[in-house]
Amino acid sequence: YEASGKLHVVCAGTNGIMDYTLNSKGKVTATKKISIKYDVFGGFYKGTDGKFYVAVGYQNPTESRTKTVIKVIQYNSKWKKLKTASIKSNASNAFEGIVQPFYAGNCSMEMKGDTLYLFTSRMMFVHSDGLNHQSNISFTIDTKKMKVSEANESYCSHSFNQYVRFKDDDLYLVDHGDAYPRSILITAVNGYEPGAYESIFDVGAFQFQGETGDNYTGCTIGGMEVGNDNILVCGTSVPHKYKIKGVTGSDSSYKKNVYVLVTDRETGKTKVKWLTTYNPATSATTVGQTRMLKLTEDRYVIL
């Protein structure tokens, strides 16, 4: 986040989190430690209200239905602790329970008014087949009272990455699924208010070849933003059915290229665009990760 013209980087530390202040040359000029006890770090978000929100998690191997497994802690801009929202282990999205919060995925937060939307992943309680499965799960938090409600406008299993954005009165969600569905899943919720909406659509915007539930998808998601007309998602991938230099397929030896998905906000229709076109089968060059930065409503940087 930025404060007084300086860049701050917040990340997990030993027995807490660290806030590093950087100058214009990228040198760390100050370090602040905020003490928190947790098992796994979820994420940090600077709210539109100027407050800081930190999500941390606690393991639940015994599958208790009453344990607090996620805390979202609210701080002021000087890191004074204000209020805490607690998420219990019996939370559900199609299936019940959180055994491991943030498991095999991400923790993304976004605000609209006084509502904080937390979109993440979890390992669920044991299923009827005797296994613990993984999926996405989401919550809304009233930041005035720091009161939690289940949200769950989308379901994806397994979900290896989660992004959330608000634009105008609408909510947009992105998942990286390997089974249900086996694709990058984009969900649009029109006229969103906590617990209510006008309409909803979801689309498998970039479909993966391979067997349902095969963890290898040959793809990463590195960014998601929403403009006036389109939802943009960027990342790297092997070609699958989206031909590069005449090559299709999902062979694990294939090199990855940078893609951008351009999805119409109204219809869900998606165009797949390749920003790099190194031959997946023969190129010595591969691309690892991407990030996206929104400059204006019609200009974006992809790193």
Side-chain angles (χ1 to χ4, degrees):
Y1 71 95
E2 186 181 8
S4 302
K6 294 184 179 180
L7 176 68
H8 290 251
V9 177
V10 178
C11 60
T14 303
N15 298 319
I17 59 174
M18 308 299 294
D19 184 338
Y20 297 100
T21 304
L22 282 66
N23 65 17
S24 60
K25 296 182 179 180
K27 181 180 178 181
V28 175
T29 59
T31 302
K32 182 177 181 62
K33 180 178 179 179
I34 301 91
S35 296
I36 313 172
K37 290 183 179 181
Y38 59 85
D39 295 330
V40 57
F41 180 71
F44 163 83
Y45 178 75
K46 181 183 179 181
T48 53
D49 56 1
K51 296 182 175 67
F52 298 158
Y53 296 88
V54 175
V56 294
Y58 305 89
Q59 308 286 23
N60 181 28
T62 63
E63 300 195 2
S64 163
R65 283 175 164 75
T66 58
K67 182 176 181 177
T68 294
V69 288
I70 297 174
K71 287 183 179 179
V72 182
I73 307 168
Q74 181 190 65
Y75 298 86
N76 69 13
S77 60
K78 302 297 183 183
W79 285 109
K80 179 184 177 182
K81 185 176 177 181
L82 301 175
K83 297 177 182 178
T84 300
S86 296
I87 296 172
K88 299 296 184 181
S89 51
N90 64 344
S92 178
N93 183 16
F95 299 97
E96 185 188 20
I98 300 177
V99 174
Q100 297 182 56
F102 318 130
Y103 183 78
N106 192 19
C107 178
S108 181
M109 291 179 277
E110 181 86 340
M111 277 189 77
K112 177 191 175 191
D114 295 331
T115 297
L116 178 70
Y117 197 104
L118 186 147
F119 192 33
T120 188
S121 57
R122 47 91 191 234
M123 183 74 84
M124 297 182 270
F125 287 169
V126 68
H127 194 56
S128 57
D129 61 5
L131 301 175
N132 294 92
H133 295 284
Q134 188 263 19
S135 80
N136 64 358
I137 194 165
S138 54
F139 304 90
T140 57
I141 299 168
D142 178 340
T143 57
K144 294 293 186 182
K145 301 176 181 178
M146 291 301 285
K147 180 180 178 181
V148 178
S149 300
E150 292 182 6
N152 300 328
E153 278 74 26
S154 76
Y155 179 80
C156 183
S157 177
H158 307 114
S159 178
F160 296 137
N161 212 339
Q162 300 81 33
Y163 287 86
V164 55
R165 292 289 185 270
F166 285 108
K167 173 65 177 171
D168 302 325
D169 291 325
D170 304 326
L171 169 71
Y172 297 92
L173 306 168
V174 171
D175 287 278
H176 178 172
D178 77 348
Y180 305 103
R182 188 169 174 79
S183 70
I184 294 175
L185 176 68
I186 297 177
T187 303
V189 185
N190 299 317
Y192 179 80
E193 292 292 340
Y197 49 84
E198 293 173 5
S199 62
I200 188 169
F201 75 73
D202 55 55
V203 58
F206 189 103
Q207 298 177 2
F208 305 135
Q209 296 172 332
E211 296 298 319
T212 298
D214 181 1
N215 291 165
Y216 177 77
T217 63
C219 181
T220 70
I221 303 177
M224 174 258 200
E225 295 291 349
V226 184
N228 285 329
D229 301 316
N230 297 298
I231 308 153
L232 302 179
V233 177
C234 73
T236 64
S237 185
V238 299
H240 293 284
K241 66 179 182 179
Y242 310 98
K243 192 177 296 184
I244 303 173
K245 291 285 200 304
V247 178
T248 59
S250 58
D251 193 290
S252 60
S253 68
Y254 281 174
K255 305 299 193 302
K256 295 181 175 68
N257 279 277
V258 178
Y259 67 83
V260 176
L261 308 182
V262 182
T263 301
D264 187 284
R265 288 178 63 189
E266 295 297 324
T267 66
K269 185 177 180 180
T270 298
K271 296 178 182 178
V272 177
K273 297 178 177 288
W274 293 106
L275 295 192
T276 65
T277 55
Y278 301 111
N279 189 303
T282 62
S283 175
T285 302
T286 190
V287 188
Q289 294 270 350
T290 63
R291 294 293 184 267
M292 183 184 293
L293 177 67
K294 183 175 184 176
L295 301 180
T296 67
E297 292 302 320
D298 59 0
R299 289 186 67 82
Y300 300 78
V301 173
I302 295 177
L303 306 173

